[in-house]
Amino acid sequence: MKSTKYLLILAAGVLLFAGGFILLRLITEPEGMMKALPFILIGIGCGTFGYGLGETVRIITLKKRPDLAKQLAIETNDERNQAINNLAKAKAFDITIYVFAALLLAFALMGTEMMVIIPLVVGYLFIVCFRIYYQCRLAKKM
Amino acid sequence: MKNRLEEIRKQQGITQEELASVLEVSRQTIGSLENGRYNPSILLAFKIARYFGMKIEDIFIYEEDQ
């Protein structure tokens, strides 16, 4: 595993954070999108930085400890762990369908703007269609 | 599905950790297999059988009513 990729991600995180911070300082009276953009950049920057730093530290540590790297590879590729992971993801997906539907219903009953509801409905339908598509694709493949 | 994995492993004097290391699975997987909580894939079943020099059906017992 190369740490260069994660160092670049780390650097991108710093740049995004710095960009957001500079925008926040430079624009004294923000309008429209600029009201939220600096904070979004800072948020994404922090997340990216954290991810990059975590992965870099992990790679450096595993290079020094090959025994730990082997154990980690076994744990990751272990078929029972993979089965558990897949089952947990499937359960989470099932719950998502109901939670998302309840949220849509709640938004509709609250009289939320169509600008909000329509993208949510499209997203919901996309997820359902994506599941059906993959089911058909995997049925042909397996 | 029942199995004789624990019995065979103990007969051969191998620890769960050693078996897990040879089969490249986690120790928890060996524990779950022995307790009958987890049924292995056909690949892992073959690996186990081959390691002990036995047939799959000598280790894993298929039961009709499940």
Side-chain angles (χ1 to χ4, degrees):
Chain A
M1 268 182 288
K2 284 186 180 177
S3 55
T4 323
K5 178 185 158 190
Y6 296 106
L7 281 171
L8 285 172
I9 291 173
L10 194 147
V14 173
L15 285 175
L16 282 169
F17 179 84
F21 195 74
I22 289 165
L23 278 179
L24 200 66
R25 290 275 165 187
L26 285 180
I27 304 162
T28 47
E29 287 174 21
E31 281 177 19
M33 197 178 75
M34 290 312 283
K35 280 181 185 173
L37 189 66
F39 298 105
I40 291 170
L41 287 177
I42 289 171
I44 295 172
C46 287
T48 313
F49 175 77
Y51 173 69
L53 186 68
E55 288 298 310
T56 310
V57 169
R58 190 177 70 89
I59 289 167
I60 291 167
T61 311
L62 291 181
K63 268 182 189 168
K64 287 179 187 168
R65 296 273 311 273
D67 56 321
L68 202 67
K70 195 192 171 196
Q71 191 55 40
L72 195 71
I74 286 174
E75 292 287 339
T76 311
N77 298 323
D78 181 65
E79 66 168 47
R80 179 174 156 270
N81 284 346
Q82 285 182 350
I84 291 170
N85 196 20
N86 288 338
L87 200 62
K89 279 196 278 190
K91 291 273 178 201
F93 173 80
D94 289 345
I95 290 281
T96 308
I97 291 293
Y98 294 111
V99 171
F100 217 85
L103 276 175
L104 276 174
L105 197 66
F107 277 142
L109 290 172
M110 283 191 296
T112 310
E113 279 182 47
M114 282 295 174
M115 284 274 282
V116 177
I117 293 181
I118 288 172
L120 284 174
V121 171
V122 171
Y124 184 78
L125 291 174
F126 175 75
I127 290 168
V128 174
C129 291
F130 196 73
R131 181 204 183 271
I132 295 165
Y133 165 73
Y134 254 90
Q135 196 170 6
C136 295
R137 202 175 140 175
L138 290 171
K140 278 182 191 170
K141 202 176 169 185
M142 293 171 86
Chain B
M1 187 166 64
K2 284 183 183 173
N3 66 72
R4 295 175 52 229
L5 187 61
E6 189 176 6
E7 180 196 330
I8 295 164
R9 178 180 62 76
K10 283 181 178 171
Q11 271 174 8
Q12 308 245 352
I14 305 161
T15 63
Q16 283 190 343
E17 283 84 0
E18 285 166 346
L19 184 61
S21 178
V22 170
L23 298 170
E24 293 188 328
V25 294
S26 67
R27 192 201 55 77
Q28 286 82 358
T29 298
I30 301 296
S32 293
L33 285 170
E34 289 183 355
N35 291 330
R37 286 199 306 263
Y38 175 68
N39 290 328
S41 69
I42 193 75
L43 282 174
L44 184 57
F46 265 111
K47 267 179 148 182
I48 293 168
R50 200 164 276 188
Y51 175 73
F52 289 116
M54 296 170 126
K55 288 178 183 171
I56 288 179
E57 54 265 41
D58 293 335
I59 303 171
F60 297 97
I61 302 138
Y62 174 71
E63 288 170 320
E64 203 73 47
D65 300 324
Q66 281 199 16

PDB file of all heavy atoms in Angstrom, chain A residues 70-71 74-75 77-81 83, chain B residues 24-26 28-29 32 38 40-41 44:
ATOM      1  N   LYS A  70      -0.519  -8.744   8.481  1.00  0.00           N
ATOM      2  CA  LYS A  70      -1.031 -10.052   8.058  1.00  0.00           C
ATOM      3  C   LYS A  70      -2.344 -10.369   8.779  1.00  0.00           C
ATOM      4  O   LYS A  70      -3.312 -10.827   8.171  1.00  0.00           O
ATOM      5  CB  LYS A  70       0.019 -11.142   8.334  1.00  0.00           C
ATOM      6  CG  LYS A  70      -0.295 -12.438   7.611  1.00  0.00           C
ATOM      7  CD  LYS A  70       0.531 -13.593   8.087  1.00  0.00           C
ATOM      8  CE  LYS A  70      -0.002 -14.883   7.472  1.00  0.00           C
ATOM      9  NZ  LYS A  70       0.472 -16.064   8.131  1.00  0.00           N
ATOM     10  N   GLN A  71      -2.359 -10.089  10.086  1.00  0.00           N
ATOM     11  CA  GLN A  71      -3.557 -10.350  10.887  1.00  0.00           C
ATOM     12  C   GLN A  71      -4.735  -9.506  10.393  1.00  0.00           C
ATOM     13  O   GLN A  71      -5.862  -9.977  10.289  1.00  0.00           O
ATOM     14  CB  GLN A  71      -3.258 -10.052  12.370  1.00  0.00           C
ATOM     15  CG  GLN A  71      -4.330 -10.519  13.344  1.00  0.00           C
ATOM     16  CD  GLN A  71      -4.670 -12.005  13.211  1.00  0.00           C
ATOM     17  OE1 GLN A  71      -3.779 -12.824  13.011  1.00  0.00           O
ATOM     18  NE2 GLN A  71      -5.946 -12.345  13.274  1.00  0.00           N
ATOM     19  N   ILE A  74      -6.065 -10.932   7.219  1.00  0.00           N
ATOM     20  CA  ILE A  74      -6.888 -12.121   7.509  1.00  0.00           C
ATOM     21  C   ILE A  74      -8.265 -11.689   7.998  1.00  0.00           C
ATOM     22  O   ILE A  74      -9.284 -12.198   7.541  1.00  0.00           O
ATOM     23  CB  ILE A  74      -6.171 -13.045   8.537  1.00  0.00           C
ATOM     24  CG1 ILE A  74      -5.000 -13.776   7.868  1.00  0.00           C
ATOM     25  CG2 ILE A  74      -7.148 -14.041   9.162  1.00  0.00           C
ATOM     26  CD1 ILE A  74      -4.134 -14.596   8.793  1.00  0.00           C
ATOM     27  N   GLU A  75      -8.286 -10.729   8.921  1.00  0.00           N
ATOM     28  CA  GLU A  75      -9.563 -10.248   9.482  1.00  0.00           C
ATOM     29  C   GLU A  75     -10.447  -9.634   8.382  1.00  0.00           C
ATOM     30  O   GLU A  75     -11.647  -9.821   8.367  1.00  0.00           O
ATOM     31  CB  GLU A  75      -9.320  -9.200  10.572  1.00  0.00           C
ATOM     32  CG  GLU A  75      -8.675  -9.732  11.828  1.00  0.00           C
ATOM     33  CD  GLU A  75      -9.597 -10.574  12.708  1.00  0.00           C
ATOM     34  OE1 GLU A  75     -10.815 -10.443  12.576  1.00  0.00           O
ATOM     35  OE2 GLU A  75      -9.074 -11.369  13.507  1.00  0.00           O
ATOM     36  N   ASN A  77     -10.280 -10.269   5.048  1.00  0.00           N
ATOM     37  CA  ASN A  77     -10.700 -11.252   4.032  1.00  0.00           C
ATOM     38  C   ASN A  77     -11.456 -12.442   4.619  1.00  0.00           C
ATOM     39  O   ASN A  77     -11.911 -13.292   3.855  1.00  0.00           O
ATOM     40  CB  ASN A  77      -9.479 -11.766   3.267  1.00  0.00           C
ATOM     41  CG  ASN A  77      -8.780 -10.646   2.530  1.00  0.00           C
ATOM     42  OD1 ASN A  77      -9.420  -9.752   2.004  1.00  0.00           O
ATOM     43  ND2 ASN A  77      -7.462 -10.675   2.517  1.00  0.00           N
ATOM     44  N   ASP A  78     -11.569 -12.493   5.927  1.00  0.00           N
ATOM     45  CA  ASP A  78     -12.245 -13.613   6.579  1.00  0.00           C
ATOM     46  C   ASP A  78     -13.686 -13.728   6.076  1.00  0.00           C
ATOM     47  O   ASP A  78     -14.439 -12.741   6.117  1.00  0.00           O
ATOM     48  CB  ASP A  78     -12.212 -13.384   8.090  1.00  0.00           C
ATOM     49  CG  ASP A  78     -12.877 -14.506   8.850  1.00  0.00           C
ATOM     50  OD1 ASP A  78     -12.365 -15.622   8.788  1.00  0.00           O
ATOM     51  OD2 ASP A  78     -13.936 -14.273   9.460  1.00  0.00           O
ATOM     52  N   GLU A  79     -14.072 -14.911   5.612  1.00  0.00           N
ATOM     53  CA  GLU A  79     -15.391 -15.058   4.973  1.00  0.00           C
ATOM     54  C   GLU A  79     -16.547 -14.812   5.945  1.00  0.00           C
ATOM     55  O   GLU A  79     -17.589 -14.290   5.565  1.00  0.00           O
ATOM     56  CB  GLU A  79     -15.528 -16.408   4.280  1.00  0.00           C
ATOM     57  CG  GLU A  79     -15.514 -17.605   5.204  1.00  0.00           C
ATOM     58  CD  GLU A  79     -15.947 -18.877   4.482  1.00  0.00           C
ATOM     59  OE1 GLU A  79     -15.450 -19.136   3.389  1.00  0.00           O
ATOM     60  OE2 GLU A  79     -16.775 -19.609   5.063  1.00  0.00           O
ATOM     61  N   ARG A  80     -16.344 -15.181   7.228  1.00  0.00           N
ATOM     62  CA  ARG A  80     -17.412 -14.940   8.211  1.00  0.00           C
ATOM     63  C   ARG A  80     -17.576 -13.434   8.455  1.00  0.00           C
ATOM     64  O   ARG A  80     -18.698 -12.922   8.499  1.00  0.00           O
ATOM     65  CB  ARG A  80     -17.085 -15.669   9.516  1.00  0.00           C
ATOM     66  CG  ARG A  80     -18.129 -15.452  10.607  1.00  0.00           C
ATOM     67  CD  ARG A  80     -17.832 -16.313  11.816  1.00  0.00           C
ATOM     68  NE  ARG A  80     -18.429 -15.746  13.003  1.00  0.00           N
ATOM     69  CZ  ARG A  80     -17.840 -14.878  13.797  1.00  0.00           C
ATOM     70  NH1 ARG A  80     -16.612 -14.448  13.522  1.00  0.00           N
ATOM     71  NH2 ARG A  80     -18.449 -14.407  14.859  1.00  0.00           N
ATOM     72  N   ASN A  81     -16.450 -12.739   8.582  1.00  0.00           N
ATOM     73  CA  ASN A  81     -16.509 -11.286   8.766  1.00  0.00           C
ATOM     74  C   ASN A  81     -17.194 -10.613   7.577  1.00  0.00           C
ATOM     75  O   ASN A  81     -17.978  -9.680   7.745  1.00  0.00           O
ATOM     76  CB  ASN A  81     -15.100 -10.698   8.939  1.00  0.00           C
ATOM     77  CG  ASN A  81     -14.537 -10.975  10.312  1.00  0.00           C
ATOM     78  OD1 ASN A  81     -15.265 -11.380  11.220  1.00  0.00           O
ATOM     79  ND2 ASN A  81     -13.249 -10.784  10.466  1.00  0.00           N
ATOM     80  N   ALA A  83     -19.365 -12.036   5.547  1.00  0.00           N
ATOM     81  CA  ALA A  83     -20.793 -12.392   5.571  1.00  0.00           C
ATOM     82  C   ALA A  83     -21.539 -11.510   6.578  1.00  0.00           C
ATOM     83  O   ALA A  83     -22.640 -11.013   6.298  1.00  0.00           O
ATOM     84  CB  ALA A  83     -20.953 -13.861   5.931  1.00  0.00           C
TER      85      ALA A  83
ATOM     86  N   GLU B  24      -6.037 -19.289   7.097  1.00  0.00           N
ATOM     87  CA  GLU B  24      -6.128 -17.837   6.829  1.00  0.00           C
ATOM     88  C   GLU B  24      -7.533 -17.290   7.077  1.00  0.00           C
ATOM     89  O   GLU B  24      -8.118 -16.596   6.237  1.00  0.00           O
ATOM     90  CB  GLU B  24      -5.637 -17.506   5.422  1.00  0.00           C
ATOM     91  CG  GLU B  24      -4.146 -17.769   5.274  1.00  0.00           C
ATOM     92  CD  GLU B  24      -3.581 -17.290   3.965  1.00  0.00           C
ATOM     93  OE1 GLU B  24      -4.305 -17.303   2.960  1.00  0.00           O
ATOM     94  OE2 GLU B  24      -2.391 -16.916   3.958  1.00  0.00           O
ATOM     95  N   VAL B  25      -8.076 -17.681   8.221  1.00  0.00           N
ATOM     96  CA  VAL B  25      -9.350 -17.120   8.693  1.00  0.00           C
ATOM     97  C   VAL B  25      -9.120 -16.651  10.129  1.00  0.00           C
ATOM     98  O   VAL B  25      -8.074 -16.924  10.719  1.00  0.00           O
ATOM     99  CB  VAL B  25     -10.510 -18.149   8.646  1.00  0.00           C
ATOM    100  CG1 VAL B  25     -10.845 -18.554   7.233  1.00  0.00           C
ATOM    101  CG2 VAL B  25     -10.215 -19.372   9.503  1.00  0.00           C
ATOM    102  N   SER B  26     -10.114 -15.940  10.677  1.00  0.00           N
ATOM    103  CA  SER B  26      -9.941 -15.465  12.051  1.00  0.00           C
ATOM    104  C   SER B  26     -10.215 -16.597  13.044  1.00  0.00           C
ATOM    105  O   SER B  26     -10.896 -17.574  12.710  1.00  0.00           O
ATOM    106  CB  SER B  26     -10.882 -14.290  12.304  1.00  0.00           C
ATOM    107  OG  SER B  26     -12.215 -14.736  12.273  1.00  0.00           O
ATOM    108  N   GLN B  28     -12.072 -16.404  15.555  1.00  0.00           N
ATOM    109  CA  GLN B  28     -13.517 -16.382  15.848  1.00  0.00           C
ATOM    110  C   GLN B  28     -14.290 -17.258  14.856  1.00  0.00           C
ATOM    111  O   GLN B  28     -15.294 -17.861  15.215  1.00  0.00           O
ATOM    112  CB  GLN B  28     -14.050 -14.943  15.783  1.00  0.00           C
ATOM    113  CG  GLN B  28     -13.669 -14.073  16.951  1.00  0.00           C
ATOM    114  CD  GLN B  28     -12.282 -13.476  16.832  1.00  0.00           C
ATOM    115  OE1 GLN B  28     -11.553 -13.738  15.873  1.00  0.00           O
ATOM    116  NE2 GLN B  28     -11.904 -12.673  17.799  1.00  0.00           N
ATOM    117  N   THR B  29     -13.821 -17.301  13.614  1.00  0.00           N
ATOM    118  CA  THR B  29     -14.490 -18.130  12.600  1.00  0.00           C
ATOM    119  C   THR B  29     -14.379 -19.608  12.980  1.00  0.00           C
ATOM    120  O   THR B  29     -15.362 -20.343  12.887  1.00  0.00           O
ATOM    121  CB  THR B  29     -13.875 -17.871  11.205  1.00  0.00           C
ATOM    122  OG1 THR B  29     -14.105 -16.510  10.884  1.00  0.00           O
ATOM    123  CG2 THR B  29     -14.492 -18.745  10.124  1.00  0.00           C
ATOM    124  N   SER B  32     -16.764 -20.209  15.830  1.00  0.00           N
ATOM    125  CA  SER B  32     -18.157 -20.245  15.366  1.00  0.00           C
ATOM    126  C   SER B  32     -18.468 -21.532  14.603  1.00  0.00           C
ATOM    127  O   SER B  32     -19.562 -22.074  14.719  1.00  0.00           O
ATOM    128  CB  SER B  32     -18.444 -19.051  14.455  1.00  0.00           C
ATOM    129  OG  SER B  32     -18.391 -17.874  15.190  1.00  0.00           O
ATOM    130  N   TYR B  38     -21.937 -21.032  12.612  1.00  0.00           N
ATOM    131  CA  TYR B  38     -21.647 -20.575  11.252  1.00  0.00           C
ATOM    132  C   TYR B  38     -21.324 -21.771  10.356  1.00  0.00           C
ATOM    133  O   TYR B  38     -20.541 -22.640  10.746  1.00  0.00           O
ATOM    134  CB  TYR B  38     -20.469 -19.593  11.289  1.00  0.00           C
ATOM    135  CG  TYR B  38     -19.991 -19.146   9.930  1.00  0.00           C
ATOM    136  CD1 TYR B  38     -20.788 -18.352   9.127  1.00  0.00           C
ATOM    137  CD2 TYR B  38     -18.744 -19.533   9.449  1.00  0.00           C
ATOM    138  CE1 TYR B  38     -20.367 -17.962   7.867  1.00  0.00           C
ATOM    139  CE2 TYR B  38     -18.309 -19.136   8.198  1.00  0.00           C
ATOM    140  CZ  TYR B  38     -19.125 -18.356   7.416  1.00  0.00           C
ATOM    141  OH  TYR B  38     -18.701 -17.964   6.176  1.00  0.00           O
ATOM    142  N   PRO B  40     -19.565 -23.058   6.947  1.00  0.00           N
ATOM    143  CA  PRO B  40     -18.528 -22.514   6.059  1.00  0.00           C
ATOM    144  C   PRO B  40     -18.951 -22.537   4.593  1.00  0.00           C
ATOM    145  O   PRO B  40     -19.871 -23.270   4.206  1.00  0.00           O
ATOM    146  CB  PRO B  40     -17.363 -23.481   6.282  1.00  0.00           C
ATOM    147  CG  PRO B  40     -18.017 -24.764   6.608  1.00  0.00           C
ATOM    148  CD  PRO B  40     -19.257 -24.424   7.379  1.00  0.00           C
ATOM    149  N   SER B  41     -18.250 -21.741   3.809  1.00  0.00           N
ATOM    150  CA  SER B  41     -18.448 -21.799   2.357  1.00  0.00           C
ATOM    151  C   SER B  41     -17.862 -23.128   1.884  1.00  0.00           C
ATOM    152  O   SER B  41     -17.063 -23.758   2.596  1.00  0.00           O
ATOM    153  CB  SER B  41     -17.727 -20.637   1.679  1.00  0.00           C
ATOM    154  OG  SER B  41     -16.332 -20.822   1.795  1.00  0.00           O
ATOM    155  N   LEU B  44     -14.049 -23.033   2.008  1.00  0.00           N
ATOM    156  CA  LEU B  44     -13.444 -23.208   3.328  1.00  0.00           C
ATOM    157  C   LEU B  44     -13.602 -24.655   3.801  1.00  0.00           C
ATOM    158  O   LEU B  44     -12.682 -25.215   4.405  1.00  0.00           O
ATOM    159  CB  LEU B  44     -14.077 -22.230   4.336  1.00  0.00           C
ATOM    160  CG  LEU B  44     -13.479 -22.242   5.744  1.00  0.00           C
ATOM    161  CD1 LEU B  44     -11.986 -21.960   5.732  1.00  0.00           C
ATOM    162  CD2 LEU B  44     -14.182 -21.220   6.632  1.00  0.00           C
TER     163      LEU B  44
END
